């Protein structure tokens, strides 16, 4: 652990602008996350998901004495190892990060991609995606289009479902959508395993009691 009291709390390496907007939106709500306010910076990797997986440790190495913790987030889809379970990908990169960071760095692999976090039952999802007040409602439309099974909480192909839902209402795709959702949707509604892992890591590092 760096001893310099001026070190920042967290550096994040993410795969793209969508994840960047999402994590910035989430971290703007420390009380909702159950953590203290933190100093952080976040960068997108120039080679996206595969770049995070193969080059994340090298990218973050120069920052090991400037930040107390490091976090890498990327999608399993697009990583080049789509057939590998997310837990295996996380362990592999964490092992490489540990050579420089010890136990101060963690990895979140979004399975299959960021859009898995998007699909909660919050009414804010309908509003942000441009479906407020529409008939049929968004989830009914997803079922009709075979994106969502009856009784399921999220589509099996979450990214494709999001893209088609936006196209249907002529709403432009934008990274800002993910930031808006991250700032507005109740965090207790998301049961995605990778999201729950993110909360566990952040709460372990940045408990309000550690301020």
């Amino acid at each position: 652990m760096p001893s310099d009291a001026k070190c920042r709390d967290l550096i994040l390496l993410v795969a793209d602008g969508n994840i960047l907007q999402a994590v910035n939106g989430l971290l703007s709500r420390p009380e909702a996350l159950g953590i203290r306010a933190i100093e952080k910076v976040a960068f997108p990797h120039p080679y996206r998901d595969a770049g995070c997986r193969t080059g994340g440790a090298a990218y973050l190495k120069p920052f090991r004495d400037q930040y107390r913790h490091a976090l890498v987030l990327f999608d399993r889809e697009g990583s080049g190892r789509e057939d590998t379970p997310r837990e295996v990908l996380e362990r592999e990169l964490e092992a490489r990060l540990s050579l420089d960071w010890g136990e101060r760095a963690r990895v979140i692999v979004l399975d299959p991609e960021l859009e898995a976090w998007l699909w909660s039952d919050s009414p804010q999802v309908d509003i942000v995606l441009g479906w407020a007040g529409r008939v049929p409602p968004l989830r009914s439309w997803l079922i009709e289009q075979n994106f969502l099974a009856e009784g399921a909480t999220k589509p099996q192909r979450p990214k494709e479902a999001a893209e088609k839902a936006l196209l249907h209402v002529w709403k432009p795709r934008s990274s800002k959508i993910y930031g808006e959702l991250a700032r507005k949707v109740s965090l207790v509604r998301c049961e995605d395993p990778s999201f729950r892992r993110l909360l566990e890591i952040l709460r372990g590092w940045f408990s309000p009691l550690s301020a």
Side-chain angles (χ1 to χ4, degrees), residues 7-13 23 27 35-36 38-43 60 63 66-73 101 104-106 198 201-202 205-206:
C7 284
R8 293 185 179 182
D9 292 305
L10 178 65
I11 183 170
L12 299 107
L13 178 63
V23 297
L27 290 170
I35 64 173
R36 62 176 174 82
I38 63 173
E39 289 187 273
K40 55 85 181 172
V41 296
F43 300 101
L60 290 170
F63 302 100
Q66 301 172 40
Y67 295 87
R68 293 182 174 85
H69 298 282
L71 192 58
V72 183
L73 297 97
W101 291 81
R104 298 184 293 123
R106 289 289 180 265
L198 173 65
I201 290 169
L202 292 174
W205 285 345
F206 306 119

Side-chain angles (χ1 to χ4, degrees), residues 144-160:
E144 291 176 1
Q145 299 296 312
N146 296 316
F147 283 117
L148 185 67
E150 290 279 0
T153 58
K154 62 183 179 183
Q156 290 186 332
R157 307 187 308 280
K159 183 175 183 177
E160 185 179 348

